[in-house]
């Protein structure tokens, strides 16, 4: 039965712990309440898969601007499930694959997942998996069709699967035919408030003193960072780019605040 | 003669019972009179194939929005025929197939069907079978042409065949050249009335008490769900998505009604 | 000489009787004077090939809306010729063929025909042979070019050939380069008069009594069927679809007239 | 030297007499002074190749509407040259060839021609050789580029070559890049005068008596055939189609004039 | 060192004298001062390659209308260099090559050139090398990219290379990405003055007497040939076509002047 | 640990010194303060990679007009890093490679780099690596996708990598999907001031005397060169083309100033 099947999962298809940790190398900084809300929503979906018999397949899309933390969040939700089968499908491991090889590799992970009573598959960066480029709207239709089918194909009897997909190009997914393909969609927002910025800066310890940090923040506030016009935020930056910008600023110890604020202000013009 | 031929059908090409049951895993809920009308229309077509000598080939298209229940209805009609040969052609079993392999697999099922005096072939999800994507209107012309011919090719003398095709994209089928290809077309509508919703909720037992269910329904009624402007219904949802939405709501026992209504109200904005 | 050559035709390349009969399974119903006119025009072309030395190659296009009876008429004309070589080139026998295989199969029939002093080749359903789809105007240029050459290539000295082609898409043939390719073109019209309809209904014996049939016809007349505005006929239906519609109506003996008229009236809206 | 080289031409690459005769099976009817003018212009080009050392390569395009007699005229000019190497490159002999095979076959003829001191190559029906179709402007660029180079490539020292190309689509040749590719261009016009028509009718002896013929001609004259508005001629018909139309009319001896005039008048509407 | 390296050039990769002479078979007629200016500019570039150490690679584009003499001029400049390695890359020797074969052949010549201390490579007729056709703007991107890289790739240390490219389609080269690819560009103009025409006619001795020639010229002058409106010259003709036109006129000795002037006047309308 | 790993780098994958020197054959002329600013910015990025543990991957784009010195600057920054692994990925070494071969070669360099604790990879001339042509916006999507992944793929634990990419077509990179792909972007400007020009001329010693040089500069100043309208500079020229123009002028010792100024003034019209 279901419970005994849980024990029989072949370890070869077990959790790829290392891969998951690699993509959350810099941890999850709880810079905003939305971070916890997303993790909680993920947990509910995990529970639905674990308990519901009517929906053996549940799929969720994590979307948001580049570098907003989609991959790290997806990996975190997957890891927290503690399901016996957790796998990450990532373009990073498919460089130079032919279309046929990609389709085979992707399909393989899903087929393997069917051997475990409970599985999570993270399908990271759909646009890259399908070789998407805006120029001429080119992409691999072979990989796209494979994903379209796999995201909707019910696992065999007695098996349950959570699919977590990530993408920066939600509107294009619709044009590609992904409409109504996901049971649920969660938005990973960029950082756009002074409060979030402050929390990140504290966490990474860029400044020697609180005073220095506050000075930098007040400079940014004056330049309009964090203004409350939420519809059209003056600044916004993905957590990934923010962390990189911080490290760059760190290289010039004597002018950290200046470099940081300049870099952030530059984003306005983009 | 015809009757003795009926007995000789080789079991290898018999009914694929399991596959059919898999796609109607959640049963058929009779939430609306149209459900029975469609099943009845299917039955008449089955009879026409069984009895008429002038039309050894009859084809019908089941169309309707995503998740409206096309596959489950097609499988139900096929199964009810009790013909000696019933097969489901589904994209689920063709992931990673090359165009040539798909064409061969599809053709094979039709060729096999000609060995039985009476056959039903369900061709599920035409758009996925032809690798359709709206982006750039790409598709496999090889599979398309194969379907166009097979849907019109008369079985050999003494053989009779019912073809049941399903699709969410009827208007695109016309653009692809499917005009006048089907003897009959049946629409599978989404759920858009409070009455239907109520029947489904009863069937799946989401609420502990009738009162709770009625409260939820009256909340939805107030929000406009089920308004009688039939041309432009405020809400509509496929049975498949409705069942998934219900299971998600079930995860939070203390706020079931709230989550369900929120999810349904969200659909308005889409 | 010519006459003795006639006797030497190798039977292997003889008439494919069965194939021809298969496509006129429901016979030719003489529902309108135009049916005989077309058959007569075909006979004259057959005679021209048999007797004229200046035109060893004659080609004719049978065109008309889907299901108007093109294939059945083409096969009838071919069969009536009683030429020693008669072959049907049909998409039905080429499902899953690669472009190269199609070209080879088509070319083969023409090459074989050159071995007989007198031949008819029916090239059925050009649009399907060239894998035509309106979406993106896709087609097999390889097959198209093969047809363009074969339709104009003179048979070797002492051989004579009649080519009968059929198509529902005459205007597209022009766009594809078929202009001036045929010596003659004949239109196969759909049924659009009450008189024709009456003749077909009599022939297939749908109604138990003459009275019932006349009642149904007068219902249709009232709805405008057969109105004499020839340019823009209110109703028109191919003989093939009409026969299928009749068989469907036959399934409900107690409401035959109602179902038939409803089905026909439905066509108006299309 | 040149004269002795002339004797050494290997017969294997000699004149393909039969092929040439096949395409002028119905002879050349001198229905208009332009016919002789074209033949004379061809003769001058032949002489230029035979005598001039500065232009070892001369190319000419014969163009005109479908069926105007381009192939027959090209073959006639080639045959009249009496050069030791005369070859016809025709799409008729390349049905089912791949692009590579076509390129090889065409190149081969030119390479062979370089072995003879004096050669004529007739490149018939360029549009068909390049697999041209107006739909989507598709064609074989491989064959096109081969022709573009071969039409301009000088034969090796001491060899001289006349290239005669034919096409119905002169304006498209320009779009394809054939501008300035030919040393000379000659137009083969369709028949558009009563006088020409009369001469053809006499030649083929369609009518039993002169009176019958003149009656038919006066019927056509009344209908406007041959009107002198040269810019926009009411009727015009290629000699090839005219001959075919005549043979068709011949099938109904009792109404020859009627059928002929009807067929010709029908062309007006096209 | 450099000077001793000069002696070691392997003869297998030496000058292809014959090929060069073949393309200037009719010599260079000095019909206009611009002819010498171009040859002089070429000489300077040759000297730059021979002497400058800072620019081991120099490239020049010879462009001008079809038949203006680009190939002959390029070959003349190359030959005059007397460099130990001179090669002509021409579409004439690549008929029927696949893209891969073309790329290999072209690359080979450049690689070979690197073995000589001083080399000239003439890349003739870029548009034909890349299989360019205006219809649909089709071309071989593989060959194009090869040329783009090779035209800019510095030869290895101690080797120097002059690249001479020719093209009739300079504006299209820009669209293809050749902007800024050449160190220098030289225009080869067509003939458009009476003076140039006169010089050519004298050189080729078309007329028996000076008087005849002058008469012909005055006829052309009257028709507007050579009018000084330089921006929009009434007549212009490439030297190549002019020489061909002259040879054609020579075929009719009794009406040379008439044919020549007619042919030239015909060009006006084009 | 990190420091001992530094010593173990396999020499086979060491620095390709020669390749780097080849592309800065003419040295770096410090004609403008921006030159040093760019080199300094490069140095900071090198330090970030060397010291920061949070950003094991740093990428920078050097962009600017053709010939502005991108490749030479990229190579200089790389060489100055003195990292144990420095490699140049250049289209020059991939002529004639198939897409698959290119992808393999590029991927190989990145994979090799992961074996060194500290690496720099210079990806030179992105547009050429992806076979970009503006005509029809054609490019190799395979190579593009490979770059998109490799530029973002984190090296394995304990390895750090600096990616320096160069391109003349920054705006097209965005259209191709490179937005947000680089941690940093640096512009390499062309020469547009008299002061820079003067410094280059001094460095390369084109003129015999200072006076001659100044005379030439004043001629250029009069013609508007170096005018301070920075938004729309009258003249601008890449250092690469400037050096080539100088060498050309050097060929005519008696008119150096004239040729140089003419060449530079010609650029205005482009
Ligand atoms: N709250 C957070 N959410 C997500 N990532 C976080 C958070 N806090 C810190 N991080 C770190 O930020 C980085 C986010 O990068 P990640 O690759 O997940 O972004 P992404 O949106 O997937 O980027 P891309 O659009 O390039 O795919 C990771 O290194 C992660 O450890
Ligand atoms: N009346 C009904 N009609 C159809 N399906 C029903 C009905 N009642 C319950 N169901 C259940 O609803 C689900 C319908 O899903 P199904 O896959 O058939 O929809 P679909 O329209 O084919 O979806 P898709 O557009 O994704 O192909 C099935 O699980 C089926 O058991
Ligand atoms: N007068 C008639 N002309 C043609 N077919 C007739 C006629 N009377 C009866 N029939 C029957 O009608 C059917 C016509 O079908 P047929 O396949 O020839 O039509 P079609 O125009 O070729 O269809 P499609 O457009 O699908 O190719 C045949 O079964 C034939 O036996
Ligand atoms: N004056 C004529 N010129 C050319 N052909 C003639 C003439 N008189 C009679 N004919 C006959 O007319 C026919 C012309 O056909 P031909 O194939 O040469 O035309 P075409 O223009 O090449 O046709 P297409 O456009 O189909 O290639 C030949 O059978 C030829 O014998
Ligand atoms: N001054 C001249 N310049 C160039 N060619 C000349 C000149 N005088 C005579 N010729 C002759 O004119 C011909 C020029 O032909 P060439 O093939 O070089 O022209 P082209 O511009 O390359 O033609 P295309 O555009 O077809 O490639 C050669 O035969 C050459 O010998
Ligand atoms: N300040 C400088 N910056 C860059 N290059 C310089 C500088 N001074 C001199 N040079 C020389 O100028 C040349 C610049 O050429 P380089 O190939 O780097 O330009 P590029 O911008 O990469 O050109 P392309 O757009 O063709 O790729 C090199 O030979 C280099 O030695
Ligand atoms: Mg990601
Ligand atoms: Mg379905
Ligand atoms: Mg048909
Ligand atoms: Mg012809
Ligand atoms: Mg040339
Ligand atoms: Mg560069």
């Amino acid at each position: 039965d279901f419970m005994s099947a849980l024990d029989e999962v072949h370890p070869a298809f077990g959790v790829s712990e290392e891969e998951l940790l690699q993509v959350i190398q810099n941890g999850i900084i709880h810079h905003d309440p939305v971070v916890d809300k997303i993790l909680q929503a993920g947990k509910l979906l995990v529970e639905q898969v674990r308990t519901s018999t009517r929906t053996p397949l549940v799929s969720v899309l994590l979307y948001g601007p580049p570098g907003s933390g989609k991959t790290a969040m997806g990996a975190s939700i997957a890891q927290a499930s503690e399901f016996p089968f957790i796998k990450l499908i990532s373009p990073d491991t498919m460089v130079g694959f032919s279309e046929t090889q990609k389709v085979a590799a992707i399909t393989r992970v899903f087929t393997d997942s069917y051997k475990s009573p409970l599985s999570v598959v993270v399908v990271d960066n759909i646009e890259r998996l399908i070789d998407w480029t805006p120029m001429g709207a080119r992409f691999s239709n072979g990989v796209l069709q494979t994903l379209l089918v796999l995201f909707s194909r019910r696992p065999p009897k007695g098996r349950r699967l959570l699919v977590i997909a990530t993408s920066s190009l939600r509107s294009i997914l619709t044009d590609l035919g992904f409409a109504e393909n996901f049971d649920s969609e969660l938005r990973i927002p960029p950082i756009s408030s002074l409060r979030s910025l402050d929390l990140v800066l504290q966490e990474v310890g860029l400044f020697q003193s609180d005073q220095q940090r506050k000075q930098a923040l007040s400079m940014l506030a004056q330049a309009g960072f964090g203004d409350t016009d939420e519809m059209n935020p003056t600044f916004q930056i993905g957590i990934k780019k923010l962390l990189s910008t911080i490290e760059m600023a760190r290289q010039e110890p004597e002018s950290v605040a200046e470099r940081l604020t300049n870099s952030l202000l530059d984003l306005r013009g983009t």
Side-chain angles (χ1 to χ4, degrees), chain A:
Chain A
D1 73 347
F2 190 75
M3 283 309 150
S4 68
L6 254 175
D7 296 332
E8 284 162 25
V9 183
H10 194 291
F13 305 117
V15 182
S16 44
E17 197 87 39
E18 211 159 323
E19 269 179 313
L20 291 171
L21 289 179
Q22 161 93 349
V23 300
I24 31 181
Q25 221 168 328
N26 289 324
I28 299 290
I29 302 172
H30 294 253
H31 57 75
D32 194 291
V34 79
V35 173
D36 293 300
K37 271 196 208 156
I38 295 166
L39 292 172
Q40 178 58 20
K43 210 170 165 181
L44 278 177
L45 294 170
V46 165
E47 284 323 298
Q48 182 180 353
V49 170
R50 196 193 311 276
T51 61
S52 157
T53 52
R54 274 212 191 77
T55 51
L57 172 71
V58 174
S59 62
V60 58
L61 174 69
L62 305 186
Y63 67 94
S68 56
K70 300 171 296 294
T71 304
M73 289 301 268
S76 299
I77 294 170
Q79 207 187 11
S81 76
E82 297 192 322
F83 279 8
F85 183 97
I86 307 177
K87 266 269 156 64
L88 178 67
I89 294 177
S90 159
D92 281 8
T93 63
M94 300 193 190
V95 174
F97 277 32
S98 69
E99 184 176 81
T100 310
Q101 287 174 312
K102 272 195 181 178
V103 167
I106 293 169
T107 308
R108 183 71 197 277
V109 173
F110 277 81
T111 312
D112 284 354
S113 81
Y114 300 153
K115 296 181 185 151
S116 161
L118 291 173
S119 305
V120 187
V121 173
V122 181
V123 181
D124 192 33
N125 207 340
I126 294 182
E127 52 272 36
R128 203 77 308 115
L129 283 175
I130 64 168
D131 288 342
W132 167 258
T133 174
M135 180 82 76
R138 288 168 66 174
F139 58 92
S140 156
N141 196 28
V143 176
L144 171 63
Q145 297 296 330
T146 298
L147 295 181
L148 283 171
V149 173
L150 291 176
F151 286 2
S152 300
R153 184 168 78 173
R154 291 180 157 233
K157 240 187 120 192
R159 307 307 186 190
R160 303 187 196 149
L161 171 62
L162 174 62
V163 175
I164 303 176
T166 81
S167 172
S168 297
L169 299 171
R170 184 169 168 254
S171 64
I172 281 162
L173 291 192
T174 307
D175 297 342
L176 286 164
F178 274 104
E180 314 239 356
N181 233 273
F182 299 104
D183 292 294
S184 185
E185 305 198 348
L186 296 171
R187 175 157 188 268
I188 318 291
I191 286 171
S192 59
S193 75
L194 269 183
R195 171 103 194 93
S196 289
L197 185 57
D198 192 8
L199 283 168
V200 174
L201 289 174
Q202 283 181 48
E203 185 80 25
V204 301
L206 175 64
F207 293 96
Q208 307 285 61
S209 69
D210 277 15
Q211 204 190 331
Q212 284 177 4
R213 203 185 69 243
K214 278 178 183 150
Q215 227 169 335
L217 285 168
S218 84
M219 274 167 67
L220 283 161
Q222 251 168 329
F225 193 105
D227 275 2
T228 49
D229 177 1
E230 280 210 9
M231 277 297 70
N232 184 17
T234 326
F235 297 86
Q236 55 183 33
I237 182 170
I239 178 76
K240 192 169 159 189
K241 184 125 197 179
L242 178 57
L243 292 177
S244 148
T245 304
I246 285 168
E247 292 314 299
M248 251 181 259
R250 209 192 289 274
Q251 296 312 306
E252 293 177 281
E254 66 295 351
S255 57
V256 166
E258 202 188 323
R259 273 214 73 177
L260 181 71
T261 48
N262 281 348
S263 299
L264 292 177
L265 293 179
D266 276 1
L267 295 171
R268 240 185 337 185
T270 325

